[in-house]
Amino acid sequence: MTTDSATPAAHTRRTRTRRRTRTACAAAFLLAVTALPASTAAAADTTHVDGRLPSGATYMMDVPAQWNGTVLLFSHGYASGPANPAQNAPDDATKALLLRGGYALVGSSYATTGWAVTDAVPDQLATLSAFTERFGTASRTIAWGRSYGGLVTTAIAERSPDRIDGSLSLCGLVHGGVANWNNTLDPVFALKTLLAPGSDVPLVDIADQAAADDAADELTSVVDSAQTTAEGRARIALAAALHNIPVWNQPTQTRPAPSDWDAQQANQYEAVKGLLQIAAFNRRQESEARAGGNMSWNTGVDYARLLGMSSVYKEVTELYKKAGLSLRADLAALNRAPRIGADPDAVAWMSRTSSFTGELTKPQLSVHTVGDALVPVQTESALKRAVTAAGSASLLRQAYTDNAGHCTFSPAEQLAALHTLEDRLTTGKWTGTDPESLNSRATKADPTTPTRYAPYRPTPYLRPYDLAHPADGR
């Protein structure tokens, strides 16, 4: 499993110690598995291959006896390590359906964990080459991936379009790396400024993972205390709005009524804690280490303007009224607070490796759940902005499932997306991308799991950055 699913509960040091022990055991198990012979039979009618690339990445391939000629190159999500298994499908149920349909499935571990795009793209392409050497040239190659794997897939689509025929991103970081880290900075900047102005918790330039753990725990404790007061809850909602955290963001949550502001905020509170414990500090520190410094900034940002564009602006205004708190004063405090500047070299690295031009030459279908707190659905607006500016809009289609959570797609929904992309590759034109057609196709592909495609248009991504708009900056 990847570690991309948001965990809302705060993690204590004891929990982290147990997790490290479990992942160390998993890593040992992986080493034992890769010591086995390279080719084994996964099933009577499927050839399973495990291997290792010169980079050190492992890969896995599953090829059914009745291969239909299509190979699916799967890019997995962000893995924290040390366990780093290869993956060639998003989940076991979808994998079984794809193999039954005759698809060959391939994917690598990437040579390293974390923000590993500089390893992931070449390792994925090397895995594709290894597949061709063993099984022959595919009649069609489709790159696909989930979450961080959506970023890897889009990077492949832009930089190596000659290796694939089309691409499918599921809940992907299709807004790119710089935009991601800018938008991750804004909510924690608001929390620290409004809830803990005297704190010295570092938001950027985090020394190591121990410092990241301490920062996450400190700010989580502040948020827990703030949640006990009406004023604190309003300010948490404001921070959530700056990340476009939806008011329904986990399948286990009750979907709040449109004007149930308290229930909406309670759901966001859990997601805010998940953001603190996952991306805002631990993953930031790992990414900063790769980039060589802080790659995000809020110099020149008008937080009143950002809030005005947020998908949950109304909720914030209502909670501030209920608390008897001045929203204008808090926004003024944010805009007066000392700003954070970026390291230009780190920005250049993140931009060069992890941001997009929007220049597609092969069709791409991008699918998102509407209730994603970790990678908000507004990332799709950022992708469309870049692709439109680059003149590639005719090659992109986007679709949405009416469900909460990060990457909570059913097998039926994933197969429907794949088949829709395949139709585009076969006919040369997009058809059946509307929700009704997608749901019909999903039901046919797998009548046992949900079909929830729905009409949806995301609000703007609040902090876009792409290579099609070079004027974006500090």
Side-chain angles (χ1 to χ4, degrees):
M1 297 294 291
T2 72
T3 58
D4 272 305
S5 296
T7 304
H11 299 291
T12 62
R13 295 186 186 280
R14 183 177 300 173
T15 300
R16 287 196 297 268
T17 300
R18 288 198 298 266
R19 185 188 303 118
R20 290 172 184 140
T21 301
R22 290 196 300 269
T23 52
C25 293
F29 175 74
L30 174 63
L31 292 174
V33 169
T34 54
L36 295 174
S39 179
T40 58
D45 59 348
T46 299
T47 300
H48 177 78
V49 178
D50 290 316
R52 187 179 295 275
L53 298 171
S55 68
T58 59
Y59 64 77
M60 63 187 301
M61 306 174 183
D62 287 291
V63 183
Q66 301 300 317
W67 178 32
N68 64 14
T70 295
V71 60
L72 305 180
L73 176 66
F74 181 72
S75 296
H76 67 73
Y78 186 104
S80 297
N84 188 28
Q87 299 176 52
N88 65 357
D91 56 79
D92 290 342
T94 302
K95 180 173 183 174
L97 290 168
L98 290 170
L99 290 174
R100 195 180 309 159
Y103 296 92
L105 309 179
V106 304
S108 77
S109 64
Y110 319 150
T112 56
T113 58
W115 195 273
V117 64
T118 52
D119 294 319
V121 171
D123 286 341
Q124 288 292 82
L125 296 177
T127 297
L128 198 57
S129 296
F131 173 85
T132 301
E133 290 174 6
R134 186 176 184 108
F135 294 100
T137 302
S139 59
R140 178 176 286 170
T141 300
I142 294 175
W144 68 318
R146 298 207 311 181
S147 193
Y148 186 77
L151 183 146
V152 174
T153 294
T154 303
I156 291 171
E158 282 199 359
R159 300 168 193 172
S160 300
D162 57 311
R163 302 294 302 276
I164 64 172
D165 296 289
S167 57
L168 171 61
S169 171
L170 302 169
C171 55
L173 281 75
V174 291
H175 52 326
V178 174
N180 178 77
W181 291 114
N182 276 344
N183 195 230
T184 302
L185 175 63
D186 291 330
V188 292
F189 179 80
L191 291 171
K192 180 180 177 181
T193 301
L194 299 177
L195 299 179
S199 170
D200 60 357
V201 61
L203 302 185
V204 300
D205 294 319
I206 303 167
D208 50 34
Q209 282 292 300
D213 290 343
D214 290 342
D217 288 347
E218 180 177 341
L219 207 49
T220 298
S221 178
V222 169
V223 167
D224 284 338
S225 296
Q227 185 67 13
T228 64
T229 70
E231 295 85 354
R233 290 191 291 273
R235 286 169 169 154
I236 292 169
L238 170 56
L242 296 176
H243 194 63
N244 269 321
I245 289 178
V247 299
W248 180 52
N249 55 72
Q250 288 294 332
T252 54
Q253 293 174 342
T254 299
R255 191 171 197 167
S259 60
D260 190 345
W261 316 117
D262 291 332
Q264 292 176 18
Q265 192 277 337
N267 287 349
Q268 288 174 317
Y269 159 64
E270 294 298 328
V272 166
K273 293 201 295 180
L275 180 71
L276 294 175
Q277 291 292 330
I278 296 175
F281 295 102
N282 294 81
R283 292 187 183 179
R284 171 178 286 280
Q285 190 278 329
E286 192 275 337
S287 296
E288 286 184 345
R290 285 183 180 270
N294 169 37
M295 58 281 172
S296 56
W297 65 89
N298 64 357
T299 49
V301 171
D302 181 345
Y303 282 107
R305 178 177 174 273
L306 288 194
L307 177 61
M309 296 190 298
S310 175
S311 59
V312 290
Y313 169 76
K314 178 66 172 174
E315 174 216 359
V316 175
T317 61
E318 293 297 326
L319 288 172
Y320 265 78
K321 288 178 185 176
K322 184 174 181 178
L325 198 60
S326 172
L327 178 56
R328 179 178 296 180
D330 272 3
L331 290 170
L334 286 179
N335 283 339
R336 286 194 310 269
R339 296 309 176 92
I340 294 171
D343 179 332
D345 291 338
V347 174
W349 183 91
M350 189 62 68
S351 179
R352 183 176 65 254
T353 65
S354 310
S355 294
F356 299 123
T357 66
E359 297 173 358
L360 295 174
T361 58
K362 302 289 177 65
Q364 181 174 60
L365 179 60
S366 189
V367 185
H368 226 106
T369 58
V370 302
D372 191 339
L374 190 62
V375 185
V377 68
Q378 285 76 19
T379 59
E380 299 294 336
S381 295
L383 173 64
K384 187 174 182 179
R385 170 185 186 258
V387 168
T388 300
S392 305
S394 64
L395 291 170
L396 175 70
R397 289 294 183 273
Q398 293 165 297
Y400 305 94
T401 60
D402 187 33
N403 195 35
H406 181 54
C407 300
T408 52
F409 302 109
S410 70
E413 290 162 348
Q414 293 174 102
L415 263 66
L418 172 63
H419 296 332
T420 299
L421 175 60
E422 288 181 299
D423 275 358
R424 170 62 178 82
L425 300 180
T426 299
T427 66
K429 60 182 181 180
W430 290 106
T431 58
T433 58
D434 60 284
E436 183 178 356
S437 298
L438 285 164
N439 284 328
S440 175
R441 193 187 290 272
T443 300
K444 290 178 182 177
D446 178 21
T448 68
T449 57
T451 57
R452 296 160 295 197
Y453 283 98
Y456 190 78
R457 184 176 181 178
T459 56
Y461 191 75
L462 298 180
R463 294 269 253 128
Y465 179 97
D466 58 66
L467 302 181
H469 294 82
D472 285 347
R474 281 143 282 186

